[in-house]
Amino acid sequence: KNYNVKGYTELVDNSGNVLASAVDLCNDKSSLTEEYCNNNVPTAEGITCPNGCFDGACTKKAKDSSIFCKLFKFLPFCPL
């Protein structure tokens, strides 16, 4: 699991054929569904991203974006 990186999970059979796959996705601007394997079982976990969610990953907090984010609140790294 890595909430800050968009990833994917695949279920494969013994021959290497992909039976199912899932990708990390943002449900909205602040929540993420993280896909991962738990003892070889594809599993999904829903979490709230403290600094927002963009393109299947939680965004990291910008170092000093306070003035910038006042002007551009819609950007994924600006606090909600």
Side-chain angles (χ1 to χ4, degrees):
K1 291 193 273 188
N2 186 338
Y3 304 127
N4 296 316
V5 175
K6 182 177 182 177
Y8 67 95
T9 303
E10 291 182 338
L11 176 64
V12 297
D13 65 16
N14 291 336
S15 299
N17 299 311
V18 177
L19 303 176
S21 63
V23 67
D24 298 345
L25 61 92
C26 296
N27 302 308
D28 53 40
K29 286 179 66 174
S30 63
S31 66
L32 170 73
T33 298
E34 176 79 2
E35 304 285 345
Y36 65 99
C37 290
N38 184 9
N39 295 321
N40 292 324
V41 176
T43 307
E45 175 185 8
I47 66 157
T48 299
C49 301
N51 298 306
C53 189
F54 180 73
D55 191 30
C58 290
T59 55
K60 297 178 182 176
K61 188 173 182 178
K63 291 183 180 174
D64 187 13
S65 61
S66 57
I67 295 171
F68 188 79
C69 285
K70 285 180 183 177
L71 298 172
F72 302 101
K73 294 178 185 176
F74 60 90
L75 293 175
F77 54 80
C78 293
L80 300 174

